[in-house]
Amino acid sequence: ILPGITRGSVMTLAHDLGYTVREEMIPREFLYIADELFFVGTAVEITPIRSVDRIVVGAGGRGPVTEALQEAFFGILRGELPDRHHWLTFVYPDGAGA
């Protein structure tokens, strides 16, 4: 598990939403029986995983936890939700107002 800004932000949002976050090694087979899985990172942001080794995960699409985290994450990024963690910095065009 690599540390990262997006990963840390999603873990913080998960706590905010009342989810328990644990980091531990699990057997690969546990992925096959998961209700839902998602990738987190700078490039993928929060992306649901539909299958592992051609085995469908959960219902084969975005689950409720992934949806809640995406809505919180993108809501903050778009300015639709308050940035309670002060992650965003307003950038003034051409230095105006700085």
Side-chain angles (χ1 to χ4, degrees):
I1 299 174
L2 299 174
I5 294 169
T6 306
R7 176 182 163 273
S9 299
V10 170
M11 291 174 73
T12 298
L13 291 173
H15 284 291
D16 290 351
L17 294 170
Y19 295 108
T20 301
V21 177
R22 291 190 337 222
E23 294 182 68
E24 60 185 85
M25 298 296 291
I26 61 170
R28 183 179 188 92
E29 295 79 21
F30 282 24
L31 300 176
Y32 305 150
I33 60 171
D35 292 329
E36 61 183 293
L37 301 170
F38 55 87
F39 291 111
V40 173
T42 302
V44 298
E45 294 170 328
I46 304 170
T47 303
I49 298 172
R50 295 175 58 165
S51 66
V52 175
D53 297 335
R54 297 189 187 108
I55 298 170
V56 175
V57 173
R62 180 173 74 163
V65 175
T66 306
E67 180 178 6
L69 290 170
Q70 284 178 324
E71 288 179 3
F73 182 80
F74 292 116
I76 292 169
L77 292 183
R78 288 189 297 260
E80 299 166 357
L81 295 175
D83 177 16
R84 296 183 312 271
H85 301 286
H86 309 289
W87 292 329
L88 306 178
T89 301
F90 186 81
V91 177
Y92 295 93
D94 300 322

